[in-house]
């Protein structure tokens, strides 16, 4: 199956640290052979661009690859650190603006930790 990078994903890819590039490249190679069989369906995203997408999380590298399969093409939409994706897909934290800074940050970190523990 052919792999195509979304413009934003390509930019994220080129900004990755060289120390994790081998692991990311192996995961992308795996997508070219068995994208239908790997990854988990994304059940929540505030961005409609990610509707119907799947994701692979590389735990050791802390990277998530978000992709969509269409016909004979696997389109990679994100290659980013898990914390950045969680922040982008997080519920509307503007509702937390009334919390003092430290309490808001602690709450957001607790939500991110919970998501990491329960995303399977």
């Amino acid at each position: 199956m052919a792999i195509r990078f979304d413009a934003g994903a390509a930019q994220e890819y080129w900004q990755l640290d060289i120390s994790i590039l081998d692991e990311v490249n192996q995961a992308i190679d795996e997508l070219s052979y068995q994208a239908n069989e790997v990854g988990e369906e994304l059940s929540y995203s505030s961005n409609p661009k990610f509707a119907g997408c799947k994701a692979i999380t590389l735990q050791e590298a802390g990277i998530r690859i978000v992709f969509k399969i269409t016909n004979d093409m696997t389109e990679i939409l994100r290659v980013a650190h898990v914390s950045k994706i969680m922040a982008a897909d997080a519920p509307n934290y503007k509702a937390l603006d009334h919390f003092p800074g430290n309490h808001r940050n602690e709450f957001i970190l607790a939500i991110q930790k919970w998501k990491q523990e329960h995303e399977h």
Side-chain angles (χ1 to χ4, degrees):
M1 188 175 294
I3 299 284
R4 183 176 94 72
F5 278 82
D6 177 78
Q11 183 177 16
E12 291 170 340
Y13 175 83
W14 290 113
Q15 292 176 354
L16 292 175
D17 188 88
I18 195 164
S19 65
I20 60 172
L21 212 47
D22 282 341
E23 186 176 352
V24 172
N25 287 339
Q26 287 176 1
I28 291 171
D29 286 345
E30 184 178 357
L31 286 177
S32 67
Y33 294 107
Q34 52 186 355
N36 290 321
E37 301 168 19
V38 298
E40 60 188 50
E41 297 286 331
L42 292 182
S43 58
Y44 169 77
S45 179
S46 59
N47 188 337
K49 174 181 178 179
F50 300 126
C53 291
K54 295 173 77 175
I56 296 175
T57 303
L58 309 175
Q59 295 294 334
E60 288 184 29
I63 297 291
R64 181 176 288 166
I65 301 170
V66 178
F67 61 98
K68 181 180 258 184
I69 303 166
T70 53
N71 300 328
D72 289 333
M73 177 76 65
T74 300
E75 183 176 10
I76 297 177
L77 302 173
R78 295 287 317 256
V79 181
H81 291 277
V82 174
S83 60
K84 287 184 181 179
I85 291 177
M86 288 175 137
D89 287 344
N92 184 356
Y93 286 134
K94 289 182 182 181
L96 301 176
D97 284 346
H98 66 280
F99 284 100
N102 289 344
H103 295 291
R104 180 177 53 240
N105 292 341
E106 290 172 10
F107 182 73
I108 291 170
L109 290 173
I111 290 172
Q112 290 174 343
K113 181 180 177 187
W114 182 86
K115 282 184 174 182
Q116 286 177 339
E117 292 172 355
H118 293 91
E119 63 179 25
H120 288 275

PDB file of all heavy atoms in Angstrom, residues 36-68:
ATOM      1  N   ASN A  36      -4.155  -1.912   7.376  1.00  0.00           N
ATOM      2  CA  ASN A  36      -5.495  -2.356   7.783  1.00  0.00           C
ATOM      3  C   ASN A  36      -5.479  -3.176   9.065  1.00  0.00           C
ATOM      4  O   ASN A  36      -6.491  -3.283   9.743  1.00  0.00           O
ATOM      5  CB  ASN A  36      -6.139  -3.187   6.671  1.00  0.00           C
ATOM      6  CG  ASN A  36      -6.503  -2.352   5.474  1.00  0.00           C
ATOM      7  OD1 ASN A  36      -6.954  -1.224   5.618  1.00  0.00           O
ATOM      8  ND2 ASN A  36      -6.280  -2.888   4.292  1.00  0.00           N
ATOM      9  N   GLU A  37      -4.345  -3.759   9.384  1.00  0.00           N
ATOM     10  CA  GLU A  37      -4.260  -4.680  10.514  1.00  0.00           C
ATOM     11  C   GLU A  37      -3.646  -4.075  11.765  1.00  0.00           C
ATOM     12  O   GLU A  37      -3.657  -4.708  12.813  1.00  0.00           O
ATOM     13  CB  GLU A  37      -3.447  -5.908  10.093  1.00  0.00           C
ATOM     14  CG  GLU A  37      -4.046  -6.647   8.917  1.00  0.00           C
ATOM     15  CD  GLU A  37      -3.094  -7.670   8.324  1.00  0.00           C
ATOM     16  OE1 GLU A  37      -2.138  -8.065   9.005  1.00  0.00           O
ATOM     17  OE2 GLU A  37      -3.307  -8.053   7.165  1.00  0.00           O
ATOM     18  N   VAL A  38      -3.073  -2.896  11.670  1.00  0.00           N
ATOM     19  CA  VAL A  38      -2.403  -2.298  12.832  1.00  0.00           C
ATOM     20  C   VAL A  38      -3.089  -1.010  13.242  1.00  0.00           C
ATOM     21  O   VAL A  38      -3.888  -0.442  12.502  1.00  0.00           O
ATOM     22  CB  VAL A  38      -0.903  -2.006  12.550  1.00  0.00           C
ATOM     23  CG1 VAL A  38      -0.149  -3.281  12.243  1.00  0.00           C
ATOM     24  CG2 VAL A  38      -0.744  -1.006  11.414  1.00  0.00           C
ATOM     25  N   GLY A  39      -2.769  -0.563  14.429  1.00  0.00           N
ATOM     26  CA  GLY A  39      -3.301   0.695  14.934  1.00  0.00           C
ATOM     27  C   GLY A  39      -4.634   0.528  15.614  1.00  0.00           C
ATOM     28  O   GLY A  39      -5.244  -0.530  15.598  1.00  0.00           O
ATOM     29  N   GLU A  40      -5.045   1.597  16.228  1.00  0.00           N
ATOM     30  CA  GLU A  40      -6.329   1.616  16.927  1.00  0.00           C
ATOM     31  C   GLU A  40      -7.187   2.730  16.358  1.00  0.00           C
ATOM     32  O   GLU A  40      -6.682   3.772  15.948  1.00  0.00           O
ATOM     33  CB  GLU A  40      -6.103   1.831  18.427  1.00  0.00           C
ATOM     34  CG  GLU A  40      -5.401   3.135  18.739  1.00  0.00           C
ATOM     35  CD  GLU A  40      -5.003   3.266  20.199  1.00  0.00           C
ATOM     36  OE1 GLU A  40      -4.393   2.340  20.727  1.00  0.00           O
ATOM     37  OE2 GLU A  40      -5.318   4.317  20.776  1.00  0.00           O
ATOM     38  N   GLU A  41      -8.472   2.479  16.302  1.00  0.00           N
ATOM     39  CA  GLU A  41      -9.401   3.485  15.800  1.00  0.00           C
ATOM     40  C   GLU A  41      -9.424   4.675  16.762  1.00  0.00           C
ATOM     41  O   GLU A  41      -9.443   4.492  17.971  1.00  0.00           O
ATOM     42  CB  GLU A  41     -10.816   2.909  15.706  1.00  0.00           C
ATOM     43  CG  GLU A  41     -10.953   1.754  14.742  1.00  0.00           C
ATOM     44  CD  GLU A  41     -10.909   2.188  13.287  1.00  0.00           C
ATOM     45  OE1 GLU A  41     -11.304   3.330  12.988  1.00  0.00           O
ATOM     46  OE2 GLU A  41     -10.470   1.372  12.461  1.00  0.00           O
ATOM     47  N   LEU A  42      -9.397   5.854  16.229  1.00  0.00           N
ATOM     48  CA  LEU A  42      -9.521   7.044  17.065  1.00  0.00           C
ATOM     49  C   LEU A  42     -10.992   7.249  17.367  1.00  0.00           C
ATOM     50  O   LEU A  42     -11.799   7.386  16.454  1.00  0.00           O
ATOM     51  CB  LEU A  42      -8.958   8.277  16.355  1.00  0.00           C
ATOM     52  CG  LEU A  42      -7.457   8.313  16.141  1.00  0.00           C
ATOM     53  CD1 LEU A  42      -7.061   9.618  15.462  1.00  0.00           C
ATOM     54  CD2 LEU A  42      -6.711   8.167  17.452  1.00  0.00           C
ATOM     55  N   SER A  43     -11.311   7.272  18.629  1.00  0.00           N
ATOM     56  CA  SER A  43     -12.712   7.406  19.001  1.00  0.00           C
ATOM     57  C   SER A  43     -13.071   8.838  19.359  1.00  0.00           C
ATOM     58  O   SER A  43     -14.223   9.206  19.375  1.00  0.00           O
ATOM     59  CB  SER A  43     -13.029   6.491  20.181  1.00  0.00           C
ATOM     60  OG  SER A  43     -12.198   6.817  21.281  1.00  0.00           O
ATOM     61  N   TYR A  44     -12.063   9.655  19.656  1.00  0.00           N
ATOM     62  CA  TYR A  44     -12.342  11.038  20.031  1.00  0.00           C
ATOM     63  C   TYR A  44     -11.352  11.962  19.347  1.00  0.00           C
ATOM     64  O   TYR A  44     -10.158  11.724  19.365  1.00  0.00           O
ATOM     65  CB  TYR A  44     -12.223  11.250  21.537  1.00  0.00           C
ATOM     66  CG  TYR A  44     -12.253  12.709  21.896  1.00  0.00           C
ATOM     67  CD1 TYR A  44     -13.444  13.407  21.900  1.00  0.00           C
ATOM     68  CD2 TYR A  44     -11.085  13.399  22.173  1.00  0.00           C
ATOM     69  CE1 TYR A  44     -13.483  14.750  22.188  1.00  0.00           C
ATOM     70  CE2 TYR A  44     -11.118  14.747  22.462  1.00  0.00           C
ATOM     71  CZ  TYR A  44     -12.319  15.419  22.476  1.00  0.00           C
ATOM     72  OH  TYR A  44     -12.338  16.748  22.746  1.00  0.00           O
ATOM     73  N   SER A  45     -11.866  12.973  18.762  1.00  0.00           N
ATOM     74  CA  SER A  45     -11.026  14.023  18.219  1.00  0.00           C
ATOM     75  C   SER A  45     -11.880  15.257  18.011  1.00  0.00           C
ATOM     76  O   SER A  45     -12.972  15.173  17.473  1.00  0.00           O
ATOM     77  CB  SER A  45     -10.391  13.615  16.896  1.00  0.00           C
ATOM     78  OG  SER A  45      -9.604  14.675  16.411  1.00  0.00           O
ATOM     79  N   SER A  46     -11.360  16.377  18.464  1.00  0.00           N
ATOM     80  CA  SER A  46     -12.092  17.626  18.262  1.00  0.00           C
ATOM     81  C   SER A  46     -11.894  18.144  16.842  1.00  0.00           C
ATOM     82  O   SER A  46     -12.557  19.065  16.414  1.00  0.00           O
ATOM     83  CB  SER A  46     -11.615  18.675  19.270  1.00  0.00           C
ATOM     84  OG  SER A  46     -10.229  18.906  19.106  1.00  0.00           O
ATOM     85  N   ASN A  47     -11.002  17.519  16.094  1.00  0.00           N
ATOM     86  CA  ASN A  47     -10.710  17.950  14.735  1.00  0.00           C
ATOM     87  C   ASN A  47     -11.365  16.996  13.737  1.00  0.00           C
ATOM     88  O   ASN A  47     -11.023  15.818  13.688  1.00  0.00           O
ATOM     89  CB  ASN A  47      -9.190  17.973  14.531  1.00  0.00           C
ATOM     90  CG  ASN A  47      -8.778  18.587  13.224  1.00  0.00           C
ATOM     91  OD1 ASN A  47      -9.546  18.635  12.267  1.00  0.00           O
ATOM     92  ND2 ASN A  47      -7.551  19.053  13.173  1.00  0.00           N
ATOM     93  N   PRO A  48     -12.290  17.465  12.910  1.00  0.00           N
ATOM     94  CA  PRO A  48     -12.969  16.583  11.948  1.00  0.00           C
ATOM     95  C   PRO A  48     -12.011  15.966  10.924  1.00  0.00           C
ATOM     96  O   PRO A  48     -12.339  14.962  10.312  1.00  0.00           O
ATOM     97  CB  PRO A  48     -13.990  17.486  11.264  1.00  0.00           C
ATOM     98  CG  PRO A  48     -13.654  18.876  11.639  1.00  0.00           C
ATOM     99  CD  PRO A  48     -12.788  18.837  12.851  1.00  0.00           C
ATOM    100  N   LYS A  49     -10.847  16.540  10.767  1.00  0.00           N
ATOM    101  CA  LYS A  49      -9.841  15.990   9.859  1.00  0.00           C
ATOM    102  C   LYS A  49      -9.455  14.564  10.263  1.00  0.00           C
ATOM    103  O   LYS A  49      -9.084  13.759   9.426  1.00  0.00           O
ATOM    104  CB  LYS A  49      -8.597  16.895   9.884  1.00  0.00           C
ATOM    105  CG  LYS A  49      -7.422  16.391   9.102  1.00  0.00           C
ATOM    106  CD  LYS A  49      -6.251  17.359   9.231  1.00  0.00           C
ATOM    107  CE  LYS A  49      -5.033  16.875   8.505  1.00  0.00           C
ATOM    108  NZ  LYS A  49      -3.914  17.830   8.613  1.00  0.00           N
ATOM    109  N   PHE A  50      -9.592  14.246  11.545  1.00  0.00           N
ATOM    110  CA  PHE A  50      -9.183  12.943  12.050  1.00  0.00           C
ATOM    111  C   PHE A  50     -10.329  11.940  12.185  1.00  0.00           C
ATOM    112  O   PHE A  50     -10.139  10.862  12.721  1.00  0.00           O
ATOM    113  CB  PHE A  50      -8.456  13.092  13.386  1.00  0.00           C
ATOM    114  CG  PHE A  50      -7.222  13.948  13.289  1.00  0.00           C
ATOM    115  CD1 PHE A  50      -7.046  15.029  14.119  1.00  0.00           C
ATOM    116  CD2 PHE A  50      -6.241  13.676  12.347  1.00  0.00           C
ATOM    117  CE1 PHE A  50      -5.915  15.830  14.027  1.00  0.00           C
ATOM    118  CE2 PHE A  50      -5.105  14.466  12.244  1.00  0.00           C
ATOM    119  CZ  PHE A  50      -4.943  15.547  13.089  1.00  0.00           C
ATOM    120  N   ALA A  51     -11.500  12.279  11.684  1.00  0.00           N
ATOM    121  CA  ALA A  51     -12.630  11.350  11.724  1.00  0.00           C
ATOM    122  C   ALA A  51     -12.305  10.127  10.876  1.00  0.00           C
ATOM    123  O   ALA A  51     -11.814  10.241   9.761  1.00  0.00           O
ATOM    124  CB  ALA A  51     -13.888  12.035  11.218  1.00  0.00           C
ATOM    125  N   GLY A  52     -12.540   8.950  11.415  1.00  0.00           N
ATOM    126  CA  GLY A  52     -12.288   7.710  10.693  1.00  0.00           C
ATOM    127  C   GLY A  52     -10.822   7.334  10.603  1.00  0.00           C
ATOM    128  O   GLY A  52     -10.450   6.495   9.789  1.00  0.00           O
ATOM    129  N   CYS A  53      -9.996   7.930  11.438  1.00  0.00           N
ATOM    130  CA  CYS A  53      -8.554   7.650  11.405  1.00  0.00           C
ATOM    131  C   CYS A  53      -8.171   6.578  12.419  1.00  0.00           C
ATOM    132  O   CYS A  53      -8.930   6.243  13.314  1.00  0.00           O
ATOM    133  CB  CYS A  53      -7.770   8.922  11.716  1.00  0.00           C
ATOM    134  SG  CYS A  53      -7.872  10.146  10.417  1.00  0.00           S
ATOM    135  N   LYS A  54      -6.973   6.082  12.232  1.00  0.00           N
ATOM    136  CA  LYS A  54      -6.365   5.134  13.157  1.00  0.00           C
ATOM    137  C   LYS A  54      -5.053   5.729  13.642  1.00  0.00           C
ATOM    138  O   LYS A  54      -4.539   6.672  13.037  1.00  0.00           O
ATOM    139  CB  LYS A  54      -6.104   3.800  12.463  1.00  0.00           C
ATOM    140  CG  LYS A  54      -7.384   3.084  12.035  1.00  0.00           C
ATOM    141  CD  LYS A  54      -7.086   1.854  11.218  1.00  0.00           C
ATOM    142  CE  LYS A  54      -6.630   0.709  12.093  1.00  0.00           C
ATOM    143  NZ  LYS A  54      -6.447  -0.550  11.338  1.00  0.00           N
ATOM    144  N   ALA A  55      -4.510   5.167  14.708  1.00  0.00           N
ATOM    145  CA  ALA A  55      -3.250   5.677  15.244  1.00  0.00           C
ATOM    146  C   ALA A  55      -2.396   4.526  15.752  1.00  0.00           C
ATOM    147  O   ALA A  55      -2.898   3.512  16.223  1.00  0.00           O
ATOM    148  CB  ALA A  55      -3.516   6.656  16.376  1.00  0.00           C
ATOM    149  N   ILE A  56      -1.096   4.724  15.626  1.00  0.00           N
ATOM    150  CA  ILE A  56      -0.100   3.838  16.223  1.00  0.00           C
ATOM    151  C   ILE A  56       0.656   4.681  17.227  1.00  0.00           C
ATOM    152  O   ILE A  56       1.123   5.775  16.894  1.00  0.00           O
ATOM    153  CB  ILE A  56       0.894   3.299  15.182  1.00  0.00           C
ATOM    154  CG1 ILE A  56       0.204   2.422  14.157  1.00  0.00           C
ATOM    155  CG2 ILE A  56       2.013   2.527  15.865  1.00  0.00           C
ATOM    156  CD1 ILE A  56       1.141   1.976  13.043  1.00  0.00           C
ATOM    157  N   THR A  57       0.777   4.194  18.452  1.00  0.00           N
ATOM    158  CA  THR A  57       1.536   4.896  19.469  1.00  0.00           C
ATOM    159  C   THR A  57       2.827   4.138  19.717  1.00  0.00           C
ATOM    160  O   THR A  57       2.810   2.950  20.039  1.00  0.00           O
ATOM    161  CB  THR A  57       0.731   5.023  20.776  1.00  0.00           C
ATOM    162  OG1 THR A  57      -0.503   5.694  20.477  1.00  0.00           O
ATOM    163  CG2 THR A  57       1.494   5.818  21.819  1.00  0.00           C
ATOM    164  N   LEU A  58       3.927   4.823  19.541  1.00  0.00           N
ATOM    165  CA  LEU A  58       5.252   4.252  19.796  1.00  0.00           C
ATOM    166  C   LEU A  58       5.645   4.668  21.212  1.00  0.00           C
ATOM    167  O   LEU A  58       6.128   5.780  21.435  1.00  0.00           O
ATOM    168  CB  LEU A  58       6.261   4.762  18.762  1.00  0.00           C
ATOM    169  CG  LEU A  58       5.825   4.615  17.300  1.00  0.00           C
ATOM    170  CD1 LEU A  58       6.835   5.254  16.374  1.00  0.00           C
ATOM    171  CD2 LEU A  58       5.630   3.144  16.957  1.00  0.00           C
ATOM    172  N   GLN A  59       5.398   3.767  22.167  1.00  0.00           N
ATOM    173  CA  GLN A  59       5.543   4.097  23.579  1.00  0.00           C
ATOM    174  C   GLN A  59       6.941   4.598  23.935  1.00  0.00           C
ATOM    175  O   GLN A  59       7.090   5.604  24.606  1.00  0.00           O
ATOM    176  CB  GLN A  59       5.197   2.873  24.445  1.00  0.00           C
ATOM    177  CG  GLN A  59       3.758   2.439  24.340  1.00  0.00           C
ATOM    178  CD  GLN A  59       2.788   3.456  24.910  1.00  0.00           C
ATOM    179  OE1 GLN A  59       3.111   4.246  25.784  1.00  0.00           O
ATOM    180  NE2 GLN A  59       1.569   3.448  24.380  1.00  0.00           N
ATOM    181  N   GLU A  60       7.978   3.878  23.505  1.00  0.00           N
ATOM    182  CA  GLU A  60       9.340   4.250  23.885  1.00  0.00           C
ATOM    183  C   GLU A  60       9.740   5.601  23.306  1.00  0.00           C
ATOM    184  O   GLU A  60      10.444   6.369  23.942  1.00  0.00           O
ATOM    185  CB  GLU A  60      10.328   3.174  23.463  1.00  0.00           C
ATOM    186  CG  GLU A  60      10.226   1.918  24.302  1.00  0.00           C
ATOM    187  CD  GLU A  60      11.286   0.899  23.928  1.00  0.00           C
ATOM    188  OE1 GLU A  60      12.372   1.295  23.464  1.00  0.00           O
ATOM    189  OE2 GLU A  60      11.016  -0.299  24.117  1.00  0.00           O
ATOM    190  N   ALA A  61       9.295   5.895  22.112  1.00  0.00           N
ATOM    191  CA  ALA A  61       9.646   7.160  21.474  1.00  0.00           C
ATOM    192  C   ALA A  61       8.716   8.293  21.903  1.00  0.00           C
ATOM    193  O   ALA A  61       9.038   9.463  21.742  1.00  0.00           O
ATOM    194  CB  ALA A  61       9.606   7.005  19.952  1.00  0.00           C
ATOM    195  N   GLY A  62       7.547   7.930  22.441  1.00  0.00           N
ATOM    196  CA  GLY A  62       6.570   8.942  22.823  1.00  0.00           C
ATOM    197  C   GLY A  62       5.932   9.610  21.623  1.00  0.00           C
ATOM    198  O   GLY A  62       5.541  10.769  21.676  1.00  0.00           O
ATOM    199  N   ILE A  63       5.807   8.863  20.530  1.00  0.00           N
ATOM    200  CA  ILE A  63       5.288   9.397  19.270  1.00  0.00           C
ATOM    201  C   ILE A  63       3.996   8.686  18.899  1.00  0.00           C
ATOM    202  O   ILE A  63       3.871   7.485  19.092  1.00  0.00           O
ATOM    203  CB  ILE A  63       6.314   9.201  18.128  1.00  0.00           C
ATOM    204  CG1 ILE A  63       7.594   9.966  18.410  1.00  0.00           C
ATOM    205  CG2 ILE A  63       5.741   9.569  16.766  1.00  0.00           C
ATOM    206  CD1 ILE A  63       7.456  11.465  18.357  1.00  0.00           C
ATOM    207  N   ARG A  64       3.078   9.440  18.347  1.00  0.00           N
ATOM    208  CA  ARG A  64       1.858   8.846  17.804  1.00  0.00           C
ATOM    209  C   ARG A  64       1.792   9.198  16.322  1.00  0.00           C
ATOM    210  O   ARG A  64       1.979  10.346  15.934  1.00  0.00           O
ATOM    211  CB  ARG A  64       0.616   9.366  18.508  1.00  0.00           C
ATOM    212  CG  ARG A  64      -0.652   8.713  17.923  1.00  0.00           C
ATOM    213  CD  ARG A  64      -1.884   9.116  18.630  1.00  0.00           C
ATOM    214  NE  ARG A  64      -1.904   8.484  19.931  1.00  0.00           N
ATOM    215  CZ  ARG A  64      -2.731   8.832  20.914  1.00  0.00           C
ATOM    216  NH1 ARG A  64      -3.575   9.809  20.741  1.00  0.00           N
ATOM    217  NH2 ARG A  64      -2.709   8.209  22.064  1.00  0.00           N
ATOM    218  N   ILE A  65       1.515   8.170  15.530  1.00  0.00           N
ATOM    219  CA  ILE A  65       1.331   8.351  14.090  1.00  0.00           C
ATOM    220  C   ILE A  65      -0.152   8.172  13.812  1.00  0.00           C
ATOM    221  O   ILE A  65      -0.709   7.107  14.075  1.00  0.00           O
ATOM    222  CB  ILE A  65       2.157   7.315  13.288  1.00  0.00           C
ATOM    223  CG1 ILE A  65       3.642   7.456  13.617  1.00  0.00           C
ATOM    224  CG2 ILE A  65       1.905   7.473  11.793  1.00  0.00           C
ATOM    225  CD1 ILE A  65       4.507   6.336  13.064  1.00  0.00           C
ATOM    226  N   VAL A  66      -0.782   9.219  13.314  1.00  0.00           N
ATOM    227  CA  VAL A  66      -2.207   9.185  12.996  1.00  0.00           C
ATOM    228  C   VAL A  66      -2.320   9.055  11.482  1.00  0.00           C
ATOM    229  O   VAL A  66      -1.681   9.795  10.741  1.00  0.00           O
ATOM    230  CB  VAL A  66      -2.922  10.461  13.480  1.00  0.00           C
ATOM    231  CG1 VAL A  66      -4.393  10.438  13.087  1.00  0.00           C
ATOM    232  CG2 VAL A  66      -2.772  10.618  14.985  1.00  0.00           C
ATOM    233  N   PHE A  67      -3.130   8.080  11.042  1.00  0.00           N
ATOM    234  CA  PHE A  67      -3.237   7.826   9.611  1.00  0.00           C
ATOM    235  C   PHE A  67      -4.656   7.463   9.221  1.00  0.00           C
ATOM    236  O   PHE A  67      -5.478   7.087  10.054  1.00  0.00           O
ATOM    237  CB  PHE A  67      -2.269   6.715   9.178  1.00  0.00           C
ATOM    238  CG  PHE A  67      -2.514   5.388   9.838  1.00  0.00           C
ATOM    239  CD1 PHE A  67      -3.234   4.395   9.196  1.00  0.00           C
ATOM    240  CD2 PHE A  67      -2.022   5.113  11.108  1.00  0.00           C
ATOM    241  CE1 PHE A  67      -3.457   3.165   9.785  1.00  0.00           C
ATOM    242  CE2 PHE A  67      -2.229   3.888  11.714  1.00  0.00           C
ATOM    243  CZ  PHE A  67      -2.949   2.904  11.055  1.00  0.00           C
ATOM    244  N   LYS A  68      -4.928   7.605   7.933  1.00  0.00           N
ATOM    245  CA  LYS A  68      -6.235   7.278   7.371  1.00  0.00           C
ATOM    246  C   LYS A  68      -5.994   6.413   6.143  1.00  0.00           C
ATOM    247  O   LYS A  68      -5.102   6.693   5.351  1.00  0.00           O
ATOM    248  CB  LYS A  68      -6.965   8.555   6.980  1.00  0.00           C
ATOM    249  CG  LYS A  68      -8.359   8.325   6.413  1.00  0.00           C
ATOM    250  CD  LYS A  68      -9.012   9.637   6.044  1.00  0.00           C
ATOM    251  CE  LYS A  68      -9.999   9.967   7.136  1.00  0.00           C
ATOM    252  NZ  LYS A  68     -10.765  11.180   6.855  1.00  0.00           N
TER     253      LYS A  68
END
